[in-house]
Amino acid sequence: MAVRTLSEFLSSTREKDLSADAFELESPHLLEVRVNGLVWAKAGSMVARKGAVKFTRQGILEQGLGTLLKKMVSGEGLQLMKIEGQGRAYLADAGKQVTLLRLAGESIFVNGNDVLAFETGIESKITMMRRVAGMLSGGLFNMRLSGHGIVAITSHYEPLTLPVSAQGGPVFTDPNATVAWSGTLTPEIVTDMSLGTLVGRGSGETLQLKFAGEGWVVVQPYEEVTFQAKG
């Protein structure tokens, strides 16, 4: 990379104000949130702030007793925080790429570890895949996001969206590489012992997610080990 003068560096890395939305990408890996009230974000994701902004860890019962019980049973590590007040907060998650999605009444499912932030117009609910208990240590929990507003999700490197249709047949993915999928799909855990050690080093090798129906699924070119198969 060519050497830059100090003024060139400051100019090229200065924060942008190109959008009127509350969420704006300052870079592919850094999200700026213009806080005017309340925003939910992944706990520990703040890298900088300015203005009268307060951060509060999510209360133990703020998402309901059912969510609390799921976290207790699964050991789910996802923690949210409230960002409140007037000002700006800058969020990132281990250098992962940030993608902004505007929901207009739709619903999506996101791997709990890949939720970075969402506006208050978005409803969130932790869900667990059926038939998963006993197969994966810690279970396989995700977050259902629906409503109206902007959602920020993360991925390692550039994500890929695969269409799912009855005509094209089911799509199978590595659970540790699966980022999100449409609210119209209900994946199930399947095993394929014939794969041996050829696929999915981090997900127990033979465990996969099967998506069938009509919708889409987003994968990343990286296996993020957030849960493991019981051996």
Side-chain angles (χ1 to χ4, degrees), residues 108-123:
I108 63 173
F109 290 92
V110 184
N111 182 309
N113 199 48
D114 296 322
V115 176
L116 181 61
F118 52 90
E119 295 185 284
T120 53
I122 299 295
E123 295 182 4

Side-chain angles (χ1 to χ4, degrees), residues 49-70:
R49 66 179 176 87
K50 60 184 181 181
V53 180
K54 180 177 70 172
F55 299 83
T56 308
R57 187 173 292 272
Q58 181 186 31
I60 193 168
L61 290 176
E62 283 194 74
Q63 285 198 319
L65 181 60
T67 291
L68 171 63
L69 293 176
K70 288 176 183 177

Side-chain angles (χ1 to χ4, degrees), residues 26-224:
E26 292 296 332
S27 78
H29 315 283
L30 184 62
L31 171 66
E32 177 195 65
V33 179
R34 299 184 184 98
V35 184
N36 183 19
L38 170 65
V39 170
W40 287 98
K42 187 174 185 177
S45 61
M46 188 274 288
V47 297
R49 66 179 176 87
K50 60 184 181 181
V53 180
K54 180 177 70 172
F55 299 83
T56 308
R57 187 173 292 272
Q58 181 186 31
I60 193 168
L61 290 176
E62 283 194 74
Q63 285 198 319
L65 181 60
T67 291
L68 171 63
L69 293 176
K70 288 176 183 177
K71 287 186 176 183
M72 291 173 62
V73 170
S74 68
E76 175 70 16
L78 174 64
Q79 292 287 334
L80 295 175
M81 64 181 178
K82 291 186 287 187
I83 309 177
E84 299 175 277
Q86 304 283 332
R88 301 194 182 198
Y90 302 86
L91 310 178
D93 184 10
K96 294 165 67 175
Q97 181 167 318
V98 182
T99 299
L100 299 182
L101 305 174
R102 188 187 303 276
L103 300 186
E106 304 99 332
S107 64
I108 63 173
F109 290 92
V110 184
N111 182 309
N113 199 48
D114 296 322
V115 176
L116 181 61
F118 52 90
E119 295 185 284
T120 53
I122 299 295
E123 295 182 4
S124 65
K125 180 180 179 182
I126 291 180
T127 63
M128 184 180 75
M129 293 185 184
R130 293 176 296 182
R131 296 179 21 190
V132 141
M135 297 181 66
L136 298 174
S137 60
L140 183 52
F141 282 74
N142 305 280
M143 183 166 283
R144 182 181 186 271
L145 301 171
S146 60
H148 293 78
I150 299 177
V151 172
I153 66 174
T154 59
S155 63
H156 288 277
Y157 312 107
E158 188 73 26
L160 171 68
T161 297
L162 300 172
V164 180
S165 67
Q167 182 178 4
V171 173
F172 298 85
T173 68
D174 181 337
N176 288 313
T178 306
V179 175
W181 58 91
S182 58
T184 56
L185 298 179
T186 302
E188 62 176 306
I189 290 282
V190 297
T191 58
D192 187 346
M193 301 303 294
S194 66
L195 288 177
T197 58
L198 299 179
V199 175
R201 295 170 308 198
S203 58
E205 298 166 347
T206 60
L207 292 180
Q208 302 157 57
L209 294 182
K210 176 183 177 181
F211 294 87
E214 298 291 334
W216 47 265
V217 57
V218 178
V219 294
Q220 61 185 1
Y222 184 93
E223 292 178 46
E224 186 169 26

